[in-house]
Amino acid sequence: MERYICVTCGTQFADSAEPPESCPICEDPRQYVPPSGQRWTTLAELAADHENEIRAEGDFTGIATSPSFAIGQRALLVPFGDSNILWDCITLLDDATAAQVERCGGLAGIAISHPHYYSCMVEWAEVFDCPVHLHAADAEWVMRPDPVIEHWDGEQLELGHGLTLIRGGGHFPGGTMLHWAEGAGALLSGDIIQVIPDRGHVSFMWSYPNLVPLPQSEIERVAGSVEPFEYEAIYGAWWDRLIPADGPEIVRRSAERYGAALRGELL
Ligand SMILES: [Zn+2]
Ligand SMILES: [Zn+2]
């Protein structure tokens, strides 16, 4: 038996003797199967020619795989008492990474923005003996069910130590962001509020690789979900996708611009 990993999205599947027939996450219009077709790997194969880069990213510690694998996101270690919450997840977990995360205080939990970053969440949770917090609205996208997964419902979940999970929706019905209340505050937004090249704006999409937008009602929902929170910085899902300050005004301004674009007012 093997736990196969989709090369395009990095998702690990439950034990099987043969590779799965297909990857539902990549066959969904919010991802894609490449023209060359579906390919599978395993954690051992991946570890043979990849490693994780771990370094400071703003107020947190980032972890991402090098060379880039699948969607290429970087996770963030967020302080949680004398331990950490892992915000978003990546596929590769090797001994060197586990040792370094342990030296930083280990993990008290894992929280993930949406199914594109579910990756190898169960492997991480087992190594660090911690739960994975996922929004229940996206439960159908879990490819390796396990008791470590704790689905939460509703609009917000307080994790403690100033951390709150916020359901934004948009890209996925359960699309989640993490608010960090320390200092000036920060919003860790995954793909739900997207940090884009112009750091004076953010954006919102239903499908990023396939460029399918969201309706006005969902833009208002996503922007409205973070309105009650105080923060300055917004951390996106890749290295250096970081807006250092003025986050709430940037989200408001961007939601207004998106609405204007949908109404044809930017033409
Ligand atoms: Zn996939
Ligand atoms: Zn995504």
Side-chain angles (χ1 to χ4, degrees), residues 6 8-11 23 25-26 38:
C6 171
T8 309
C9 72
T11 302
C23 174
I25 292 173
C26 285
Q38 177 72 55

Side-chain angles (χ1 to χ4, degrees), residues 3-265:
R3 289 191 285 268
Y4 288 96
I5 293 168
C6 171
V7 169
T8 309
C9 72
T11 302
Q12 186 187 51
F13 284 60
D15 282 279
S16 60
E18 299 290 329
E21 289 281 306
S22 63
C23 174
I25 292 173
C26 285
E27 294 204 327
D28 177 79
R30 287 163 286 191
Q31 248 291 104
Y32 63 95
V33 178
S36 53
Q38 177 72 55
R39 286 196 299 130
W40 301 97
T41 187
T42 63
L43 209 40
E45 269 180 29
L46 182 65
D49 53 6
H50 289 74
E51 59 185 6
N52 286 336
E53 183 181 356
I54 304 178
R55 61 176 161 87
E57 176 90 306
D59 285 322
F60 308 112
T61 300
I63 309 175
T65 300
S66 176
S68 181
F69 174 71
I71 297 174
Q73 74 274 15
R74 64 107 179 74
L76 290 169
L77 275 182
V78 181
F80 186 78
D82 54 10
S83 183
N84 300 279
I85 293 289
L86 185 70
W87 169 246
D88 276 332
C89 197
I90 60 173
T91 304
L92 179 60
L93 175 57
D94 56 16
D95 291 345
T97 305
Q100 195 159 343
V101 170
E102 208 58 74
R103 280 195 294 277
C104 293
L107 297 183
I110 299 167
I112 304 180
S113 58
H114 72 298
H116 290 153
Y117 303 150
Y118 286 178
S119 60
C120 266
M121 59 184 173
V122 176
E123 298 280 342
W124 284 77
E126 283 180 346
V127 165
F128 293 100
D129 192 24
C130 69
V132 183
H133 303 286
L134 303 180
H135 199 281
D138 297 334
E140 67 184 289
W141 301 105
V142 173
M143 297 297 134
R144 183 184 167 191
D146 192 279
V148 298
I149 296 168
E150 295 183 6
H151 279 114
W152 65 280
D153 224 327
E155 302 307 310
Q156 294 173 13
L157 178 69
E158 284 188 23
L159 296 177
H161 297 288
L163 293 182
T164 306
L165 293 174
I166 306 162
R167 179 208 199 169
H171 180 36
F172 274 82
T176 298
M177 295 171 276
L178 178 65
H179 179 253
W180 184 62
E182 293 292 310
L187 183 69
L188 283 56
S189 65
D191 285 358
I192 309 310
I193 291 178
Q194 191 71 255
V195 176
I196 52 177
D198 162 18
R199 296 297 197 267
H201 287 83
V202 291
S203 197
F204 320 82
M205 293 286 263
W206 184 69
S207 173
Y208 289 100
N210 305 316
L211 305 176
V212 185
L214 285 164
Q216 175 80 39
S217 57
E218 279 298 300
I219 301 304
E220 285 172 10
R221 180 189 213 296
V222 176
S225 72
V226 297
E227 194 65 44
F229 293 88
E230 287 185 18
Y231 59 96
E232 284 287 334
I234 303 176
Y235 290 75
W238 288 269
W239 286 126
D240 306 317
R241 293 282 187 108
L242 172 54
I243 291 172
D246 212 17
E249 180 49 36
I250 288 169
V251 171
R252 264 180 238 125
R253 178 197 303 157
S254 304
E256 281 168 20
R257 182 176 76 168
Y258 205 104
L262 290 174
R263 294 189 297 274
E265 292 169 11

